[in-house]
Every structure is written in C-alpha cells, then in structure tokens.
Amino acid sequence: MAEATQQDKETWESGPLPALDDRLLASDLVNEIEFLAARARSLGSSRANAMLASLDLKVRSYSVLAMACSGTEPSQRELADFLRLDPSQIVSLVDALEQRGLVLRAPDPRDRRSKVIRPTAAGVELHQRAAAAVRVAEDTSLAPLDGPERDQLRVLLRKIAFG
C-alpha cells in the first residue's frame, strides 16, 4: 500500500472520514461505549492537532495553555490531576510553553512549596487564536449533531468526566 501524502493526511485529520466497509460497521465493537468514546476522542484530537499545528501546539499543550489562561491559577499537580496526565508530562508541557514565553511559574499563594502556572500576554494572545482553531475542529467533529444534541453530549461527557 502506498504511503499517504501530507495532503491525504490533512484531509483525513480535518475533513470527512473515509468510508468504512459495512461488514466492519456490523461488528459488535461499534456498540461498545469505550470503543466509541476512544474513536471519537482519537478523531477529535487528530482534527484539533491538525488545526493547532500552525500555532505549534497540540491538544495537550493547548490544554495546559487553556488552563493557564482560565484564571484559575492551577498548580502543576492540579493540572496533572485535571488533565489526567502524569506529573512528568505536565512538567515537560509547561517547560515547553515557558520556553516559548507563553506561561510562567509563580509561587502558589495557597502553598509556598508549589508553583502555579500563569499566562503571559503572548500566551493569552496565542490562546485566543488556538481556542478559535479548536472550535473549528470541534465543529467539524460534531457536524453530524444539531445544537441540542451537542449540548446534550457536553452534559453527558461532563457527567462521565467529573461525576
């Protein structure tokens, strides 16, 4: 099989999905919630990563930047817990954003042994552009759903994710 071209990859990541054989769609797996959630996440992350690429971000680095810009002043430990990532992954992500001048570590007023992550002005500006790109990716992923279905999906996913 020939290797996919960059254009093919970009179309797959951000455009319509390739048609699947009906025999695959007839498998029991297509009704398993964990599979469906994993596939939807994979498709959504691929689309978001494609949209964020021009900003030199990926979904994980965007998530850290978004939380830094949220006004919540999360600590690295809180980011790890909230994003369900290993603390060492958070350190790497924050290091990369800090090297780009997008975030900074500051003493945590709640615990002087800890650092909170705050955005810089450049981080806030990039976050605004990145959030717009993520909305485009989300609109592409959720195109089969109407407005009320999207709202219902958000409610259900929040319930699963946060109880």
Side-chain angles (χ1 to χ4, degrees):
M1 184 168 148
E3 212 173 286
T5 66
Q6 183 62 30
Q7 184 178 3
D8 291 339
K9 183 179 178 202
E10 288 170 4
T11 298
W12 179 81
E13 288 178 336
S14 60
L17 295 175
L20 296 174
D21 191 307
D22 285 341
R23 68 185 171 74
L24 299 177
L25 294 172
S27 73
D28 290 340
L29 187 61
V30 301
N31 291 313
E32 292 181 17
I33 290 175
E34 292 301 331
F35 167 75
L36 292 169
R39 182 169 165 83
R41 179 183 182 271
S42 178
L43 292 169
S45 292
S46 293
R47 287 182 176 125
N49 282 335
M51 294 299 298
L52 291 167
S54 67
L55 303 173
D56 196 24
L57 292 172
K58 291 191 173 188
V59 169
R60 286 184 175 184
S61 55
Y62 166 76
S63 297
V64 171
L65 182 60
M67 288 304 297
C69 292
S70 70
T72 61
E73 295 195 335
S75 69
Q76 290 183 169
R77 168 57 69 186
E78 289 172 323
L79 284 173
D81 292 343
F82 186 77
L83 299 175
R84 303 295 298 159
L85 296 173
D86 186 87
S88 65
Q89 293 172 304
I90 293 297
V91 169
S92 295
L93 291 165
V94 171
D95 284 349
L97 292 171
E98 190 173 45
Q99 288 169 3
R100 291 179 60 190
L102 302 172
V103 300
L104 53 88
R105 291 173 169 100
D108 186 341
R110 301 161 296 191
D111 179 357
R112 63 187 175 143
R113 298 166 296 170
S114 181
K115 301 282 187 189
V116 295
I117 310 305
R118 293 184 179 145
T120 63
V124 170
E125 188 274 327
L126 182 64
H127 172 255
Q128 290 170 345
R129 292 174 37 218
V134 168
R135 284 190 295 276
V136 170
E138 182 179 288
D139 283 344
T140 302
S141 292
L142 300 181
L145 304 179
D146 63 24
E149 289 172 325
R150 289 179 187 205
D151 293 342
Q152 182 181 20
L153 178 62
R154 278 188 187 87
V155 167
L156 294 173
L157 289 173
R158 275 194 304 266
K159 196 173 198 177
I160 292 168
F162 303 113

